[in-house]
Amino acid sequence: MKKTSTSFYDILGISSATVCLVHCLVFPLLTILPLGLSHNPFIDLFFAVIGSIAVFKIIKNSNLLVATILIISMVLIWMSVLSEIILDIHLDLILTGGIGMIIGHLINYRLHKISNH
């Protein structure tokens, strides 16, 4: 059985996008509680960098549908992260981008699994 790194990057991308999405959905609820938590956009930047690495490695060997989903999702995430860091404007595009990243990585993972078996 041939082992390739595309599967690793799909798993990395799925994991990173899922953790980021959970962070984006749960963190606003935690800020309501008097715990002294505040949002740090550099956490989003960290997830965006990990996601970008996974996307750049995957789009070289993926089909057009997967590449399009991943690139559009990554653009939405970067727009949201950079607007928050530079302009201090929170956009909800990061949620849409995170969902798109999970979908794109799952599709690519399944296509990769089918073609290797």
Side-chain angles (χ1 to χ4, degrees), residues 16-17 19-20 23 42-52 74:
S16 174
V19 170
C20 182
H23 162 77
F42 292 102
I43 294 172
D44 298 335
L45 181 64
F46 174 73
F47 286 122
V49 169
I50 291 173
S52 295
M74 206 68 242

Side-chain angles (χ1 to χ4, degrees), residues 18-63:
T18 302
V19 170
C20 182
L21 190 61
V22 168
H23 162 77
C24 290
L25 292 172
V26 172
F27 191 79
L29 298 174
L30 292 177
T31 57
I32 295 171
L33 300 173
L35 299 174
L37 297 174
S38 63
H39 179 68
N40 186 350
F42 292 102
I43 294 172
D44 298 335
L45 181 64
F46 174 73
F47 286 122
V49 169
I50 291 173
S52 295
I53 292 168
V55 166
F56 289 134
K57 296 289 185 176
I58 288 172
I59 60 173
K60 295 177 187 176
N61 301 324
S62 64
N63 64 17

Side-chain angles (χ1 to χ4, degrees), residues 4 11 17-18 23 30 37 39 45 48 54 71 80 85 91 109 117:
T4 60
I11 292 169
T18 302
H23 162 77
L30 292 177
L37 297 174
H39 179 68
L45 181 64
I71 289 171
S80 180
I85 291 173
L91 301 175
Y109 182 74
H117 288 284

